[in-house]
Amino acid sequence: MGIFEKENEELLGYDGHAFLYFALTVLTSMVLPWTWSLASGYMFPRPAAEMDFELSQKGTRGPQVRLCKTTLMEGRRHGAIEGAKARRFGPLALLKLGALAGCWGCLLWVLRELKDAPSELKSFDPHEILGVPRNAELREIKKAYRAKSLQHHPDKDKDNPLASVMFQQVSKAYAALTDETARSNYEKYGNPDGPVRMKMGIALHPILLVKERQVFILCFFFGFLFGVPMFIVCCNLRGSNVSTHGVSAETLKIFHACINIEVTKEDTVGLLCASSEVRRFPGGDLRELIEAMAASHPLPLEPGTVVQFAQATACAQKGRRAFLRSLGSDGLCEVDVWPASGQLPQREEEVEKKKVPLKVLAAAEPRVVCPFSDNSIRRSSALLWSHCWRLHRHMGTFVKMELTHSLLSSPKLCRAMISIAAHGEGDRAGEKDQEVYQRREDFFDVTRSCIALQRCLVQAIDFDDSPLLQLPCYLQAPRKDAPSLREVVANGGDESMLKRLGQQFSPAEVLDIQEFCRHAPLVELRCTTEVDDEKDIAEGDMASLTVTMTRTNLREAEVAGPVHAPLFPGVKYEEWWIIVYDNRSRRMVTADVILDTGRTASCKVNFMVPRPGEFKWTVFAMCDSYAGLDVQQEVVFHALRRNDVDRTIFVHPEDANIRSFFEEIMLGLEPEDQDSSSEEEEEPEARSAQQQKREAKKPAAVENAEPEEEAAEKPTDALAKADGGGNSESEEDPEAAAVPGGVFYQVMDSTGIFIYREPQEDKSLRLGSVPVDTIMRGFEGDGRPDGWLEVASLGAPQGQGVWMRIDGACTTEEDAGSEQGAPCKCLGGLTEQSLKILVKAQTPVILLRRWMKQAPTPLTAEDILEVREMDNQRARMLLEDLALRRLGDERFAELLDRAEALTDKFKTRIKKARGYFQSQNGIIWYVTPDGEVRGVNPDGGRIRDRVQVTPEDTLQLGPFRLDEDKTCSCIHWLRKDDAEKSWTWSRDQTLRTRVRLMTGEPAPRR
């Protein structure tokens, strides 16, 4: 038998009903639930979850959900239901019905085909092949065999390609009924040829098994085999770029790069529009909307503003644009009139210089604030500002679709922005190892600005608008003596209270306002501070602050439904952000969010108690959906000193000798004494002596390890070591009193000073260099070589074998040459310094305590400012506590005010140099409000420097001085030694520049 004949035989014995049963199973499992889903949607239409105003946050509906029943919200709720009803007969719904009808037709066809199907799958049946009954006699079998043989003989049935196979089947059937061996095999194995191997296959229709269709089936099989896994992999890869809150990884990278302490409330709008979810959505024409925005919120007429003629004049017709050059004292202003086509002029010859009265000009652009120069981001920012100004009537259909997409994406984006700002994760600049993260405490205002952005988008109000504009039907600006929104809500919208708003309301409008007051949240806070399983709070404990929030406007078992937001396109639920603020240090401690919409909700914030004494904190509860309903609660608790609290743990005597896993490892690593043999064979006296010898080795090993640990210690962590690991006793112990104060030097050499491993000027012994103006603490005398200072490692009380030359040639900035003199200036001993000098020198806290008690130098605002700029939180709080004990509350608060004033003064002074820039050599720069300069080379290398304010009140960056006489947008740095050489930085507000500063990726090749 050939191979093709064998295939034909298998095809002849294939049972096609298996495919029908398989199709019946698949179609039934798909059609029935789909039919139920479509039927329920047609009989009881409901809008999508993000548009269903009757659902609670947990997806439940019923009388326990407090819904806002104002006229506007009722109209939106009914509109959503009517929209769901209308969508039942839309194109997509009809397409679903057609597909379902086709599936039902396939199911009915399968049922019809299975009507006459056998109860069992097809098998080898000789009686059926020969067409004889099962009780037929041999004579009937032979007669049927002769008839079938003649019918299917290949010579007789030449047109049938399966004739030979059928002829063989007839022969096998005859043998199974007449031959004893074949009959035995048939009765035993179901086949006259004996046992055969079991074959597994797919239940396909016999038509698909024909040889001509095998290539198609093979291609389909491999397509399915590789296509489905690839589709799943692509979906997983796409999902891996999305966080748990639905924000893409690209957007999170942008937020981390752009959120810094410079972000204002207005900047948050542009930051939201910089996300990939918003700026990639196409939109319509904004020209009409921009004109309406410029009319309602125009830019102030200042030099550099694009203006248009509000009325026709002799030099230009109405609506023609111009560029405002200057404002004259006589009421005339100089403008550059654009071409009549309205296009931006490209050459100077295309503009006409004219002098016109100021009253005929109007701003051509709205007052839109955006921190980026990218056109797509500025467009999206303008759209969101128009929403906050409630200019929806000037929007077209496609513009409204774009706005709806942006607003529906705003809750998750704003939540990500708030979380990044609250945890101090913004502006990382890709420098994790170098620790240039901005502190979380500095993001208090930024966090509140991001929260304000969310509620402005929800309620369609500007940042500076009155919260009373959230009331239904209240459209005008409130009077100065108008009550606050919280007072109106607390009084339930009483008519006597509404009269103070300065607007007459109809009875229907009064009912709407009263319904809003019943729905708006009025919350109360209750705060408790404790340590788990302890009665007292002590320094170093892990304490917890539990904030319990109660919505007094809800009854028991009620939950708050969607907020009142008639201009927000989707459903929004309340989210309350809990911010803990330290009143004494004026910094944010931590933040958390409450998502529960029940009557009572709580959150628990864990923190480590950094110091002993009294803590005065303020807990702010800020709603992201309503403005003017925030509350705050004062929290006061006292922390004891560590030694004043008993923290011993009772250990049962039987467990006292049990070693921990770590002790077992350390004992296993300890080498045994070579002079001793097995301990089991030693006498008790020898064993005791050996044990004493081992105990004596442990302190020595610790002493040898301490200098190495301190040498590797980070500078910011060194100040956190206070009196033997955090001891806060007021009296200095003898060990601390024995720590020498040392002497302090300031580096004067403009080129810096080398430090050496030994007191020898040998290049092979160099460890590095110290820049100019660095404060160094060290020791001299007592047998040390003359002219050398043994430098104390940063934060360490003693010298660590690092040497610095303090006499010799000195190079100054005034004289580039070298002259004999001291490259370092001796500042004196410990008590002769100011606290600012000690902090700069990374003086240990042990010595700072001594300075607080003994030094006659008074504390100044500069000292407090230097302490506040420390990166280590625990060390900073310890120093603030020392200063508070020395000064008292009033004096300390006064110095804090002065320190903040100095910070604001410095930020204002360097305002011209602040921002993002790009130099001619391709380096991008960022100058922070604190004067820190961060740069990224085209190859990705990083640069660090700082802008200084010199005694001559000039801005200096290394050997360059800022030219403040030029008024262009660029800034120019002039060399001190050659004023003709300048270094020009052009401002670069693109999003890519900020991202490059964070990631440090190389510049793209052109």
Side-chain angles (χ1 to χ4, degrees), residues 547-559:
V547 181
T548 303
M549 185 182 70
T550 304
R551 293 181 173 90
T552 58
N553 63 308
L554 297 180
R555 297 188 296 268
E556 293 294 337
E558 266 192 338
V559 295

Side-chain angles (χ1 to χ4, degrees), residues 776-779 790-800 802 841:
M776 303 296 293
R777 170 178 163 268
F779 308 94
E790 185 181 8
V791 180
S793 294
L794 297 176
Q798 302 290 343
Q800 298 295 315
V802 178

Side-chain angles (χ1 to χ4, degrees), residues 250-265:
E250 180 183 356
T251 298
L252 292 179
K253 183 174 70 172
I254 292 173
F255 287 167
H256 280 294
C258 300
I259 295 180
N260 53 39
I261 59 177
E262 288 188 278
V263 175
T264 62
K265 293 184 295 185

Side-chain angles (χ1 to χ4, degrees), residues 300-307 323-328 333-334:
L301 296 181
E302 298 176 350
T305 306
V306 178
V307 297
F323 186 78
L324 183 60
R325 282 291 182 185
S326 61
L327 297 173
C333 56
E334 183 180 352

Side-chain angles (χ1 to χ4, degrees), residues 32 51 175 254 266 304 334 361 385 604 655 678 755 807 841 855 870 881 926 942 996:
L32 293 183
M51 299 297 295
I254 292 173
E266 291 78 9
E334 183 180 352
L361 299 178
W385 279 110
K604 189 173 183 180
D655 300 333
S678 177
I755 54 176
D807 63 356
M870 296 175 60
D881 184 60
Y926 170 47
R942 295 190 176 275
R996 275 193 59 202

Side-chain angles (χ1 to χ4, degrees), residues 106-117:
C106 294
L107 180 60
L108 294 177
W109 176 80
V110 170
L111 292 175
R112 184 177 64 84
E113 292 292 326
L114 288 175
K115 180 177 64 173
D116 300 327

